[in-house]
Amino acid sequence: MGKVNIKSIAAALHLSPATVSRALNDSYEIKQETKERVLAYAASHNYRPNPFAKHLKTGKTNLIGVVIPFLSSPFFLEFIDELYNAVLPHHYTLIPFQTQNNEKIEKEALDFLVRQHVAGIIISPAHENSNTELLQHIHHHTCPVILFDRIQHGLETYKIGIHNSLETYTATEQLINKGRQKIAFLCGKDIGNTKDRIRGYKNALHNYAIPFREEYVIHTDYQDPTQNIDSELKEVFRRLQTMDNMPDAIVGGTDTLSVKVLGVLAALDLSVPQDVAVIGFTNTNLANYLNPALSTIRQPTQDMARLALELLIKLIDKQQNRADIVYENFMLQATTIYRKSTEG
């Protein structure tokens, strides 16, 4: 049997190609019974739409670009995985890119996606102001853009994230209530969520009359979660040890740092949680199997992915000028799980 296409489906079902095309695109002009016949035949014969033919006819493809900082981060990997599951019923194909928090690489990815005539883009920006003008131009004149996770960006569009300052406030407060007074905050340098997460940490200290110490906000500069930054972290904490200023608790502000710090503390012969309690952002499913099990702030990644796709398709289908739309920020609820790393 030859390649299945709209014409062959039409011939087999004694329908016109136009009717088959409309049925495959869920047109209101086609009866539900006809749609079901067409979709059943297409599925049983492994029909796959031709994105290039669609583009020639409508100016649109079934491609969606996804631009994220790291493919190796548990959070972003889970987001991509859920997005793949979510796009299947809509007959879209994902084109993922990682930027390694590099604005130049991000620009190259965006330029490539534009050349591929993608129907839309979902992005977690490299930095707060990375490629703002380019993203605005794409969003207003080329295809819709949705922001997720790192939503402190100047682009006016739908944004999906969590209450970062509230989550770090609650985590810091929990440590304070357990008697910890010397609490450090680990964060990635120039990462979009850092300011909000530090603000929550500072507010908790302030509300419990604990002096803020600049040396306890530890910035690390890394371009990839797999990068070896252990030596940098060991040096920072070794210096604090030498000065008899070692923190008794740590809030990890990124996925990567939350996991790495357990190994770093072990290498310095510090026990968790006896010497240092640890809690941090991470979506790794291995948190419960680390030694000790890591207390975590887990972002609702699956909900974020499904909502991002829903909002993007809404914009793809909308005929209104995107510059005139009133956009919302969607702040979803994270889940905090306390395990052995914060006990005691």
Side-chain angles (χ1 to χ4, degrees), residues 148-282:
F148 80 99
D149 183 46
R150 300 179 178 185
I151 59 176
Q152 300 79 14
H153 193 277
L155 178 65
E156 287 295 322
T157 186
Y158 291 120
K159 300 177 181 181
I160 306 164
I162 65 170
H163 293 280
N164 284 288
S165 60
L166 175 62
E167 298 301 337
T168 48
Y169 181 99
T170 303
T172 306
E173 181 180 51
Q174 176 72 9
L175 293 169
I176 294 170
N177 289 336
K178 287 182 174 291
R180 309 289 172 153
Q181 295 282 307
K182 302 170 67 176
I183 303 171
F185 186 84
L186 276 180
C187 53
K189 186 177 180 182
D190 296 326
I191 290 178
N193 291 324
T194 294
K195 288 182 180 178
D196 279 350
R197 292 179 180 178
I198 290 177
R199 184 168 66 250
Y201 158 77
K202 284 184 175 180
N203 287 343
L205 296 180
H206 175 77
N207 288 349
Y208 284 86
I210 298 174
F212 169 71
R213 304 185 186 193
E214 195 70 47
E215 68 271 23
Y216 279 178
V217 177
I218 302 167
H219 295 266
T220 59
D221 190 7
Y222 59 92
Q223 296 301 314
D224 190 288
T226 60
Q227 186 175 331
N228 185 3
I229 56 174
D230 295 41
S231 57
E232 179 186 348
L233 292 174
K234 285 177 190 175
E235 180 58 33
V236 170
F237 287 117
R238 188 178 287 115
R239 185 167 61 250
L240 290 171
Q241 270 186 314
T242 302
M243 298 167 61
D244 197 25
N245 198 23
M246 187 68 194
D248 59 13
I250 296 171
V251 178
T254 74
D255 221 333
T256 301
L257 297 174
S258 299
V259 174
K260 280 184 175 289
V261 71
L262 291 180
V264 169
L265 294 174
L268 295 174
D269 294 322
L270 292 166
S271 298
V272 178
Q274 291 82 359
D275 298 322
V276 186
V278 178
I279 185 171
F281 285 85
T282 183

Side-chain angles (χ1 to χ4, degrees), residues 17-300:
T19 297
V20 171
S21 178
R22 292 190 184 102
L24 290 170
N25 286 284
D26 197 25
S27 171
Y28 69 92
E29 300 173 299
I30 305 301
K31 293 179 180 179
Q32 186 62 32
E33 179 185 353
T34 304
K35 288 181 188 178
E36 291 174 359
R37 283 180 61 211
V38 171
L39 291 173
Y41 185 92
S44 66
H45 290 79
N46 297 315
Y47 166 74
R48 293 290 181 271
N50 184 335
F52 301 104
K54 182 178 179 181
H55 171 61
L56 290 173
K57 183 177 180 181
T58 67
K60 295 181 180 180
T61 66
N62 68 335
L63 304 175
I64 290 177
V66 188
V67 183
I68 59 174
F70 311 116
L71 280 168
S72 51
S73 160
F75 167 72
F76 291 116
L77 191 59
E78 186 177 344
F79 183 90
I80 290 286
D81 185 60
E82 182 60 28
L83 205 55
Y84 267 112
N85 293 331
V87 300
L88 288 175
H90 299 282
H91 306 293
Y92 281 100
T93 299
L94 298 186
I95 306 180
F97 277 94
Q98 68 170 354
T99 65
Q100 297 182 317
N101 274 339
N102 185 304
E103 186 172 4
K104 182 180 178 183
I105 296 175
E106 181 179 85
K107 181 182 184 302
E108 291 171 353
L110 292 170
D111 287 340
F112 177 85
L113 292 172
V114 169
R115 290 196 300 272
Q116 300 307 305
H117 304 285
V118 294
I121 296 172
I122 299 172
I123 182 171
S124 183
H127 306 301
E128 287 186 13
N129 299 306
S130 62
N131 294 298
T132 302
E133 290 185 7
L134 174 59
L135 283 166
Q136 286 175 340
H137 181 81
I138 293 172
H139 183 59
H140 292 160
H141 304 290
T142 306
C143 69
V145 179
I146 298 287
L147 297 184
F148 80 99
D149 183 46
R150 300 179 178 185
I151 59 176
Q152 300 79 14
H153 193 277
L155 178 65
E156 287 295 322
T157 186
Y158 291 120
K159 300 177 181 181
I160 306 164
I162 65 170
H163 293 280
N164 284 288
S165 60
L166 175 62
E167 298 301 337
T168 48
Y169 181 99
T170 303
T172 306
E173 181 180 51
Q174 176 72 9
L175 293 169
I176 294 170
N177 289 336
K178 287 182 174 291
R180 309 289 172 153
Q181 295 282 307
K182 302 170 67 176
I183 303 171
F185 186 84
L186 276 180
C187 53
K189 186 177 180 182
D190 296 326
I191 290 178
N193 291 324
T194 294
K195 288 182 180 178
D196 279 350
R197 292 179 180 178
I198 290 177
R199 184 168 66 250
Y201 158 77
K202 284 184 175 180
N203 287 343
L205 296 180
H206 175 77
N207 288 349
Y208 284 86
I210 298 174
F212 169 71
R213 304 185 186 193
E214 195 70 47
E215 68 271 23
Y216 279 178
V217 177
I218 302 167
H219 295 266
T220 59
D221 190 7
Y222 59 92
Q223 296 301 314
D224 190 288
T226 60
Q227 186 175 331
N228 185 3
I229 56 174
D230 295 41
S231 57
E232 179 186 348
L233 292 174
K234 285 177 190 175
E235 180 58 33
V236 170
F237 287 117
R238 188 178 287 115
R239 185 167 61 250
L240 290 171
Q241 270 186 314
T242 302
M243 298 167 61
D244 197 25
N245 198 23
M246 187 68 194
D248 59 13
I250 296 171
V251 178
T254 74
D255 221 333
T256 301
L257 297 174
S258 299
V259 174
K260 280 184 175 289
V261 71
L262 291 180
V264 169
L265 294 174
L268 295 174
D269 294 322
L270 292 166
S271 298
V272 178
Q274 291 82 359
D275 298 322
V276 186
V278 178
I279 185 171
F281 285 85
T282 183
N283 277 53
T284 177
N285 292 322
L286 299 177
N288 199 43
Y289 303 99
L290 298 173
N291 187 21
L294 178 64
S295 295
T296 58
I297 304 165
R298 187 181 182 94
Q299 300 186 71

Side-chain angles (χ1 to χ4, degrees), residues 2-22:
K3 184 178 179 181
V4 178
N5 53 37
I6 288 176
K7 287 184 178 180
S8 65
I9 296 174
L13 299 180
H14 305 290
L15 298 170
S16 71
T19 297
V20 171
S21 178
R22 292 190 184 102

